[in-house]
Amino acid sequence: MRELMVRDAIREALDEEMARDNTVFQMGEDIGVIGGNFKTTVGLRDKYGDLRVKDTPISEQGFVGMGVGAALTGMRPVIELMFADFLMVCGDQLFNQMAKITYMSGGQCNVPMVVRMPIGGGRSSAAQHSQSIHAWACHIPGVKVVVPSTAGECKGLLKTAIRDNNPVMFFEHKMLYTTKFDDVPDEGEDICIPFGKARIVTEGTDITVVANSRMTIYAEKAIKKLQKEGISAELIDLRTLVPLDTETIIKSVKKTGKLLIIDEGHISFGVTGEIASRILPDVFYDLEAPIERMGTADVPLPFSPALEFPLIPDDKKIAAKIREMV
Amino acid sequence: MSAKKDKELAKQFYTVMYRTRRFEEEVFEFYKRGLMPGLAHLYLGEEAVATGACATLRDDDYIGSTHRGHGHLVARGADLNRMMAEILGKETGYSKGKGGSMHIMAMDKGILGANGIVGGEIPIATGAAYSAVLRGTDQVTLAFFGDSASNEGTFHESINMAAAWNLPIVYIIENNLFGISVDIRRVTKEHDLYKRAVGYGIPGEAVDGNDVYAVYEAVKKAVERARKGEGPSLIECKTYRWQGHHVGDPGEYRAPEELAAWKAREPLIVFKEKGILTDAEIAEIEESVNKEIAEACKFAEESPYPQESEAFTDVFVD
């Protein structure tokens, strides 16, 4: 295993898949000459050329739709949206076109396409550059949805996404790009992490904590602290929301009897509520307490750190919630 | 030999235009008989555009189509039986009843799909053109869309990129003057939409969209240009739809004299006036097409509806 920053692990995945398969190409704003707003594509334009690592104008509907057309005609596009917030700008191409064309055609075609984009608050980027809106993608049938956590996870899941024959929306966390993790497979190892199989990060017996993306990192930190207080929490990193591995959650809750679900999206009508209602029939008689949820408060993300930070769950808030529950 | 003297081309033109005309008339009949679920947007009156444009293509080229897409599909050689079956929501349709009139795709004919969102297919067609460049082929894509789609953001974004990167695509505006009930002349200052090409630095041209030869010649030139890697063109075909926006829309917002004037010089009349085919040749084509259409209607009507379980397939592929 190697230690890498998330952004470098992502770049490795893109590099390896472009080298392995010449139908893979990338389009997006600022991904070429400067290697991406978050430096996830540095050096790839030099290596693969302008056509395969294409800097686009600020035309999200246009280049996402072009990805769909290229995917229909034999290519495997990887499209970068600079911020997940921009999916609202090109919602038609993502959700009416990309997601539905296979179905509307009666299976005559498929759309092997990845759309990468960063979510997450905590950067004083205010209400239009901080949202965690991956739940939007989950609501539309026909899209697979990935919410990776560590560097190794990002790499392995992105490689799977690029090889998948369906549209995949890949939500990276912008606050993790420069965080280092020591779980990246050695060079030359071709590791793809399968979709729909959650990762048990830490095993425990008192409570089950389900998280994804950056919330996995916060929860892990909280749980490590709580171990010293004698609290044993089991942490599950979902990896993908579509498909969703309910089996691993159900198995864990049957063991612990308690469940805390954490997702950085707004709390209402989102991931946490969906998971709770989906697994409840299977664990109803095993529960020793009500299912609890944590997410971002239902207000637009404000600019000032003094306002923004209190709205988003972090390791301290998670630790406090777990203490309260056990 | 110039196109005007080419009898074979003339027969092809008349066959495809008449086939489209008859197909649409029968779709309308199915609607009136209550056998067609939902609605359909008829191509009646615009037959020369798709016919002339698609005649310029090679088998391995692509087209992007619209909600008013039957004409493009017929002109591109889609299977009439499977088209009509899809329009009736039958299991034997192109999409097994999942798409209907607005979503007929025929990937084996390079038809990237009709599309329910106005302007939605323009970037997709542009992506097929980008894909041809990436794959190193000389395939060309035609993107058909209406005057109203030219006011969508996708029009601007796509043409701008295609122009910047010299993509092998021809954008064809079917200007039938109306977006549902709204006259383009009420919502757009410059009524000659082809003039927008200037802003993108590409060739733009307007043609009589009811004259199949005019469409053919203009699109042929643009396709040749695209195939040589010289980039996209914008062609505005000025035409008119006979019916309302869809089969359930009487279209009463249009002046009767305007409709009458356009009908007086509709594509089949304009074609016949050229006198290239004899009455006997025309009658022969019509008889043969009428048989095909009757067969397609029979096939569609007799085909079974899909099983309920079909609703749950094709969401994802393996």
Side-chain angles (χ1 to χ4, degrees), chain B residues 51-67:
Chain B
T51 302
C54 288
T56 67
L57 295 181
R58 265 186 354 213
D59 284 351
D60 64 340
D61 290 333
Y62 299 110
I63 69 161
S65 176
T66 70
H67 62 287

Side-chain angles (χ1 to χ4, degrees), chain B residues 15-27:
Chain B
T15 303
V16 175
M17 286 197 293
Y18 186 71
R19 190 181 277 146
T20 306
R21 172 73 50 89
R22 290 288 303 116
F23 187 89
E24 294 296 65
E25 285 171 351
E26 292 302 330
V27 170

Side-chain angles (χ1 to χ4, degrees), chain A residues 51 62 73 97 103-104 166, chain B residues 95 105 115 130-131 157 311 317:
Chain A
L51 254 187
T73 54
Q97 312 294 344
Y103 188 82
M104 294 188 299
N166 297 281
Chain B
S95 309
M105 279 181 100
N115 205 301
Y130 194 77
S131 160
E157 295 187 15
V317 300

Side-chain angles (χ1 to χ4, degrees), chain B residues 68 147-148 176-184 241 245 253:
Chain B
R68 199 175 304 287
D147 43 284
S148 293
N176 65 22
L177 296 174
F178 283 83
I180 307 189
S181 68
V182 176
D183 189 325
I184 186 86
R241 63 168 148 84
H245 173 58
Y253 39 78

Side-chain angles (χ1 to χ4, degrees), chain B residues 43-201:
Chain B
Y43 202 66
L44 290 170
E46 305 184 19
E47 297 88 346
V49 179
T51 302
C54 288
T56 67
L57 295 181
R58 265 186 354 213
D59 284 351
D60 64 340
D61 290 333
Y62 299 110
I63 69 161
S65 176
T66 70
H67 62 287
R68 199 175 304 287
H70 302 167
H72 311 134
L73 294 147
V74 170
R76 190 65 182 137
D79 184 278
L80 300 179
N81 292 9
R82 294 180 69 193
M83 276 183 69
M84 196 63 94
E86 186 60 35
I87 289 164
L88 297 195
K90 299 296 184 77
E91 178 190 78
T92 53
Y94 264 111
S95 309
K96 298 178 277 184
K98 291 173 184 168
S101 163
M102 270 196 292
H103 304 291
I104 302 178
M105 279 181 100
M107 288 306 286
D108 58 335
K109 300 282 180 191
I111 299 168
L112 302 169
N115 205 301
I117 304 295
V118 169
E121 133 283 354
I122 307 176
I124 297 173
T126 308
Y130 194 77
S131 160
V133 175
L134 280 163
R135 288 179 287 109
T137 74
D138 66 347
Q139 292 163 291
V140 172
T141 301
L142 297 189
F144 291 99
F145 50 90
D147 43 284
S148 293
S150 74
N151 286 333
E152 286 278 8
T154 51
F155 169 91
H156 169 64
E157 295 187 15
S158 302
I159 299 185
N160 175 57
M161 282 188 275
W165 303 330
N166 274 333
L167 301 185
I169 184 164
V170 181
Y171 296 99
I172 300 175
I173 306 178
E174 300 176 316
N175 186 355
N176 65 22
L177 296 174
F178 283 83
I180 307 189
S181 68
V182 176
D183 189 325
I184 186 86
R185 293 160 291 196
R186 286 170 54 210
V187 294
T188 301
K189 173 104 175 167
E190 173 55 69
H191 304 156
D192 284 328
L193 302 176
Y194 77 94
K195 290 180 182 170
R196 297 182 186 188
V198 174
Y200 301 106

